[in-house]
Amino acid sequence: MEVLEEQEITKLGYGPNCTSDMFMSTTYALYERGVVHEKGLLAQDLPPWLTRITGKISDKSRLFPSAINHVLINEYLPKQGIMPHQDGPAYFPVVAILSLGSPVVMDFTPHSSLGECRHVEDGIKLDERLDDERPFSVVLMPRSLLIFKDKAYSDYLHGIRDCEMQYYDRAVNATETSKHDAGNQWRPGLEKSNEVRAEDINSFCRTTTRVSLTCRVVSKM
Ligand SMILES: O=C(O)CCC(=O)C(=O)O
Ligand SMILES: [Fe+2]
């Protein structure tokens, strides 16, 4: 594994809205399988422990056009998030994010000027449910897998707030969070006081780092 220098991060294809500065300010460390070379990043095979994970994601979901060959591992400190961005045409139309450690809320914000890459692959049925293009959020619990594709990929920015407290009252999966946090591990406010405040119920406190594995297919390596 190589730790990438700041200038290498821009080569990973995050699209015009995301500069390397944004990434360096929000993300603690970025690791990528590959060798840093003056012409860019040279491809290497993913290690076996990782292909076991990516193979499962690909086989179970059946949403990837071919084997996942690109995995970005990000580590976030409790106050760190990632600026709203779009992943760019290099990985269109699908991305899977496996989350470990502290839960976070990922916000999806419609962005009308995006979407040029949407029709790159003919025959893909766009998700009609997103046609009204409202912002929405998704809670990413530890060990969860989020897969988003097509219009959610091309017409929305996704990002995580730079904040220890993550509010999820408007998240599409808000009602499912309690069953994944039965002991209120991520809601210390609920344990301490008898007085239950709405913000304690609808928020998580990030007490540890979060590590995410962003899995994608790059057709041209
Ligand atoms: O860490 C995450 O959950 C998101 C990462 C991401 O959006 C990216 O690497 O493009
Ligand atoms: Fe992203």
Side-chain angles (χ1 to χ4, degrees):
M1 285 225 190
E2 299 281 335
V3 178
L4 298 181
E5 300 300 328
E6 182 173 358
Q7 64 270 26
E8 300 300 331
I9 292 164
T10 53
K11 294 179 184 162
L12 298 179
Y14 286 99
N17 293 297
C18 200
T19 66
S20 60
D21 285 342
M22 290 177 186
F23 270 83
M24 292 314 286
S25 66
T26 56
T27 308
Y28 179 63
L30 289 165
Y31 299 92
E32 172 115 15
R33 181 75 175 176
V35 176
V36 176
H37 183 268
E38 59 184 10
K39 288 189 178 153
L41 200 67
L42 299 184
Q44 278 197 330
D45 288 341
L46 296 174
W49 66 266
L50 202 45
T51 47
R52 275 196 294 277
I53 297 171
T54 55
K56 236 180 191 175
I57 293 172
S58 195
D59 291 349
K60 297 250 176 206
S61 71
R62 296 168 173 259
L63 292 173
F64 286 83
S66 55
I68 290 166
N69 59 2
H70 189 280
V71 179
L72 183 63
I73 303 181
N74 289 342
E75 184 180 35
Y76 301 84
L77 295 177
K79 284 190 180 143
Q80 291 176 317
I82 190 164
M83 288 287 286
H85 66 281
Q86 193 230 33
D87 287 0
Y91 314 108
F92 184 78
V94 57
V95 54
I97 299 173
L98 182 63
S99 295
L100 304 167
S102 282
V104 290
V105 175
M106 182 168 277
D107 299 315
F108 285 82
T109 319
H111 195 290
S112 54
S113 69
L114 298 173
E116 306 98 57
C117 64
R118 198 196 320 168
H119 299 292
V120 167
E121 283 221 355
D122 284 339
I124 289 198
K125 192 177 176 301
L126 300 178
D127 193 337
E128 315 278 67
R129 285 169 305 165
L130 298 176
D131 269 356
D132 51 357
E133 308 219 328
R134 276 183 296 222
F136 65 95
S137 304
V138 183
V139 180
L140 307 183
M141 294 301 284
R143 300 168 62 91
S144 70
L145 182 72
L146 170 70
I147 302 181
F148 60 93
K149 66 194 276 282
D150 301 336
K151 201 168 176 184
Y153 184 110
S154 58
D155 294 7
Y156 286 74
L157 301 175
H158 56 279
I160 299 165
R161 282 169 206 261
D162 288 327
C163 188
E164 236 167 343
M165 296 305 292
Q166 297 279 303
Y167 295 94
Y168 63 84
D169 39 325
R170 285 173 41 208
V172 292
N173 58 342
T175 53
E176 287 175 35
T177 53
S178 53
K179 76 172 173 245
H180 298 287
D181 185 29
N184 292 327
Q185 182 191 352
W186 305 106
R187 286 174 284 208
L190 289 187
E191 272 180 355
K192 278 187 226 129
S193 75
N194 300 328
E195 214 179 284
V196 178
R197 297 176 307 169
E199 61 262 39
D200 290 333
I201 297 174
N202 292 319
S203 65
F204 289 119
C205 183
R206 297 157 77 186
T207 49
T208 62
T209 54
R210 167 177 184 262
V211 172
S212 67
L213 281 69
T214 302
C215 308
R216 300 177 278 214
V217 173
V218 193
S219 37
K220 285 186 211 141
M221 290 281 272

